[in-house]
Amino acid sequence: MTRLAKTACPDRSSHHLGRRTFLTALGTVATTFATGVPAHATGHARDAATAAEYVDVQLLNITDLHGYLQAAPGGNSVISGNGGRSYTVGGVAYMAAHLARLRDGRANSFFFTAGDAFAGWEFDAAAFADEPTIEALNRMGLDFATAGNHELDKSPAMLRRHMEQGVPFPVEGRDASFTDSSGARFRGADFRYHSANLVWGSDGRTVLPAYNVETVRTAAGQELRIGFIHLTALGTELMPGSYQPGLATLDEVATADRYAALLKAQGVGAIVLSVHDGAVAGADFNSGADPSGPALDLALRVSPDIDAIVTGHWHTRFNMMVPDPAGVPRPFVEAGCHGQLINEISLRLDPATGRVVRELTVSVNHPNTRDVAPDPALKEVVDYWAGQASARNTARIGRQTGSFSRTRNTAGESTMGDLVADWALWAGRRPADPENDANVHPNVPAQLALVAAAPRVGQAVIAGDLPRDAASGGAVTFGRAWRAVGFGDPIVSATVTGQQIHDALEQQWTTAASGELLFAPLAVSGNVRYTFDARGPVGDRVSPADVFVDGVPLDPARSYRLAAPAYTFLAMDGYGALSGFLAPYRHQRDFESFVAYVRERQTLAPAPLNRVRAANAGRLGADVGTVLEPGPYLLADGSPMPRPEAALVAADRPPATAGGFRPPC
């Protein structure tokens, strides 16, 4: 873990500061940032608000909104900072009101996000292809955006052609291109997405523009340029939600340094780095204590030509100055998640050179409090989509003849597990989708499916039961299907050997430290039958001869096309035998795919529980094993953690810091 030295950063005052005398008391800045506690690059910055001979530039940024337009969810709605004071926060209508106040009187103001604005987790946005989030950001005047990992939760084509350009994917008015609050069809974003290190794996071309350059004017009318470099979290293409076989991410420091040098060679005097990667730095949103994490390592190493570093991805909150490699302080900030904060960085540019007078930099995190009058236009957007979501939630898309339950029989099989495994096989056999443009292998249909019904680690893709509603005649509504399955990861079809399938079935059983036999059952698709020996030792309970795919015994030496969630192939739920898969093909995201499955099937009927059999279960010494039922993952206030967050927090992956912190997205 990297830690900052506890000595003060050197005050490397430039010759420009000789033009006037700066106060060292809080002075004007105390009233400018009434709701926040500023971080100052040096004592000179305390009077920077009155430094009229410099060009004032305001940078406003948010991160990880995740489509939470109404409010921050659960325990995320209360944050602490500014000496322990607590604030109730969240909601874009309130954010718009705060933005108007912060922008007032600031001629050179830029508003951007450090990533994960959409790939929404709130139903009101996610159920409409995250278009409500784009409408809200358009209304708030977002200038540009960094691509986070969740912006890739569908595909590069979805990001560029739909979210930016408004091209329907695939069916207008059903899957995308809905009517917005103004009565118009979705037209795309008024801003562009960027990433310097997200590239096509085949040739290294950037998927998105690497940077953008904005201009401001001096009092004499001279143009000064500010460059913004954008980075996407390293390994985005291997995260379960954003799993994209055709993409790669480049080293963050090397990429940032490369583009900083390029911008400097082009005569750009001020450079800002917006990186969708993060750190932890204490609980106070307007300070930084004992920081650690990849974004801190980057901040300490990346080119001194970069004047400010804005981070995201980790859902943390801090506001501090860190020394660049030359020892000069620069802002290092993260503005939480779900609309909790607006970060503001105030830069002063030398009109003669266009460079940032770093000694005068001020940064502050403003809580997006709900004690102000909400912006009427944004409130209209939020209310409209809430109404649309309510109607879509109850829209009938199919029917069921019986209830589906996670209750398991002795062999670990359940009607809900069977349903989800059958859906996974259907999903893994679907034809190629033009939206999925980051696949590099052919779409070879799956031959069987495995789904972790109750994994011993990680999160089950099964979100709940699907009981039959007798009053409606067994109607399956959009909302019930959406919530029954998934946490935002795609189904993947990939080539594995029969031996890998066998080994994954054996990995259902492990021995706890106490000696207790644990059972983490896998659901299998309807064309699979297998028997396990309830008296067998761990690692030797399933014979390949007792596993049948389409009536044929499993051949350990043969290759099979297997369908499973990306989460399972990436071994995040503990079945590592499948991690050596080949020729992966990404299909649709889980909850959207399951809705499509119900629409196509129209009628869901529970299947008999005859796919898995426990041999010798009634004999002396038999032990099927205990299925662990972990409780729901909770936020600090005891409210449920959103399923996509819980899936990553619970996943079988190493922590990101020595203290054990795992970023929740």
Side-chain angles (χ1 to χ4, degrees):
M1 179 171 64
T2 304
R3 301 191 181 193
L4 293 181
K6 298 187 181 295
T7 55
C9 297
D11 180 1
R12 299 178 181 237
S13 301
S14 73
H15 64 278
H16 302 296
L17 299 181
R19 296 180 184 177
R20 57 169 292 163
T21 301
F22 287 87
L23 300 177
T24 56
L26 270 174
T28 308
V29 80
T31 57
T32 304
F33 307 116
T35 62
V37 177
H40 303 91
T42 69
H44 297 296
R46 296 183 183 278
D47 193 41
T50 63
E53 66 268 44
Y54 301 111
V55 178
D56 172 55
V57 177
Q58 180 189 55
L59 308 179
L60 299 170
N61 67 86
I62 60 173
T63 191
D64 294 85
L65 180 63
H66 286 293
Y68 281 107
L69 306 185
Q70 293 194 50
N76 287 293
S77 64
V78 178
I79 60 174
S80 62
N82 299 347
R85 181 179 172 187
S86 293
Y87 300 84
T88 299
V89 294
V92 296
Y94 301 98
M95 180 180 288
H98 286 294
L99 284 169
R101 173 181 59 81
L102 292 168
R103 287 166 166 159
D104 187 35
R106 306 294 288 272
N108 302 315
S109 182
F110 300 98
F111 176 40
F112 63 99
T113 172
D116 283 6
F118 68 86
W121 298 350
E122 185 173 53
F123 181 78
D124 295 10
F128 294 95
D130 300 301
E131 294 172 5
T133 305
I134 299 297
E135 182 185 1
L137 294 173
N138 282 346
R139 295 282 195 108
M140 288 192 290
L142 194 77
D143 291 300
F144 49 87
T146 302
N149 54 298
H150 283 289
E151 266 88 10
L152 279 299
D153 275 2
K154 290 190 177 181
S155 67
M158 190 70 177
L159 177 59
R160 291 181 290 107
R161 299 192 63 222
H162 181 66
M163 290 308 197
E164 289 192 342
Q165 301 169 24
V167 177
F169 269 124
V171 180
E172 183 176 291
R174 189 195 74 178
D175 305 300
S177 300
F178 300 97
T179 302
D180 68 17
S181 67
S182 72
R185 285 284 182 188
F186 179 71
R187 57 183 172 79
D190 294 337
F191 54 90
R192 299 283 76 84
Y193 272 92
H194 304 80
S195 176
N197 69 325
L198 181 70
V199 300
W200 296 103
S202 58
D203 57 17
R205 290 178 299 117
T206 54
V207 175
L208 300 164
Y211 62 88
N212 59 296
V213 178
E214 308 295 333
T215 60
V216 298
R217 291 187 180 275
T218 68
Q222 176 189 2
E223 283 193 350
L224 304 178
R225 296 191 293 166
I226 307 170
F228 294 85
I229 303 168
H230 304 264
L231 298 175
T232 303
L234 195 65
T236 284
E237 73 281 6
L238 296 176
M239 295 177 188
S242 55
Y243 180 68
Q244 300 287 353
L247 301 184
T249 43
L250 305 179
D251 179 79
E252 294 171 344
V253 173
T255 303
D257 284 354
R258 172 189 169 195
Y259 283 100
L262 177 66
L263 288 168
K264 187 177 180 181
Q266 293 176 356
V268 176
I271 302 175
V272 176
L273 177 61
S274 176
V275 53
H276 192 72
D277 211 345
V280 289
D284 189 318
F285 65 75
N286 250 325
S287 66
D290 197 19
S292 65
L296 176 70
D297 296 337
L298 177 146
L300 295 172
R301 295 170 54 204
V302 80
S303 170
D305 292 325
I306 293 172
D307 298 294
I309 299 170
V310 175
T311 75
H313 185 50
W314 280 37
H315 293 197
T316 54
R317 304 173 291 275
F318 54 84
N319 174 46
M320 55 192 300
M321 297 284 170
V322 300
D324 67 18
V328 181
R330 57 187 172 190
F332 176 59
V333 302
E334 186 162 339
C337 59
H338 310 323
Q340 295 171 330
L341 297 165
I342 303 168
N343 173 262
E344 179 183 29
I345 298 173
S346 293
L347 303 178
R348 294 294 186 272
L349 306 189
D350 183 335
T353 65
R355 298 187 64 182
V356 174
V357 182
R358 293 266 288 272
E359 295 86 346
L360 302 183
T361 301
V362 181
S363 175
V364 62
N365 274 337
H366 298 279
N368 177 30
T369 60
R370 298 170 63 88
D371 57 358
V372 298
D375 179 271
L378 269 296
K379 187 176 186 303
E380 179 183 334
V381 171
V382 172
D383 291 347
Y384 170 80
W385 287 111
Q388 293 293 105
S390 180
R392 185 156 232 218
N393 182 58
T394 57
R396 179 175 179 147
I397 61 170
R399 63 180 290 269
Q400 60 189 104
T401 62
S403 294
F404 295 87
S405 168
R406 291 167 294 173
T407 301
R408 293 174 293 274
N409 64 10
T410 301
E413 189 178 355
S414 69
T415 53
M416 194 67 195
D418 286 356
L419 172 66
V420 171
D422 289 345
W423 151 71
L425 180 58
W426 171 88
R429 288 176 168 177
R430 295 196 80 185
D433 186 337
E435 174 196 316
N436 282 319
D437 62 334
N439 280 307
V440 293
H441 300 287
N443 182 16
V444 179
Q447 297 167 285
L448 72 159
L450 295 177
V451 172
R456 64 181 179 274
V457 293
Q459 187 89 11
V461 72
I462 302 171
D465 297 335
L466 194 60
R468 184 178 185 274
D469 179 26
S472 66
V476 179
T477 64
F478 183 97
R480 292 181 68 226
W482 183 276
R483 295 181 178 91
V485 172
F487 37 72
D489 292 356
I491 289 294
V492 171
S493 54
T495 298
V496 296
T497 65
Q499 186 66 52
Q500 287 176 282
I501 293 171
H502 167 265
D503 292 349
L505 293 175
E506 292 284 12
Q507 287 177 343
Q508 295 175 105
W509 293 275
T510 55
T511 304
S514 63
E516 182 182 20
L517 181 67
L518 302 180
F519 183 27
L522 287 162
V524 297
S525 51
N527 63 332
V528 176
R529 299 288 186 275
Y530 82 91
T531 300
F532 68 86
D533 185 354
R535 299 179 68 194
V538 170
D540 190 17
R541 304 199 120 202
V542 181
S543 168
D546 292 331
V547 181
F548 295 86
V549 180
D550 293 321
V552 179
L554 186 73
D555 182 352
R558 178 185 163 189
S559 292
Y560 295 83
R561 288 295 285 182
L562 174 67
Y567 197 77
T568 297
F569 275 119
L570 296 172
M572 291 196 168
D573 48 13
Y575 306 92
L578 300 175
S579 59
F581 59 91
L582 300 173
Y585 188 91
R586 177 195 165 106
H587 298 273
Q588 195 175 21
R589 287 196 302 180
D590 44 27
F591 38 70
E592 294 163 326
S593 178
F594 188 70
V595 166
Y597 175 71
V598 175
R599 278 189 172 130
E600 182 174 300
R601 290 288 301 273
Q602 278 299 295
T603 301
L604 304 179
L609 301 181
N610 61 2
R611 303 180 187 183
V612 185
R613 188 174 74 88
N616 299 317
R619 298 185 63 183
L620 184 66
D623 187 357
V624 172
T626 300
V627 178
L628 296 180
E629 299 284 4
Y633 282 81
L634 304 176
L635 297 170
D637 70 335
S639 61
M641 183 179 291
R643 276 182 57 77
E645 290 191 51
L648 286 175
V649 169
D652 187 13
R653 59 184 182 136
T657 69
F661 180 82
R662 293 179 176 179
C665 74

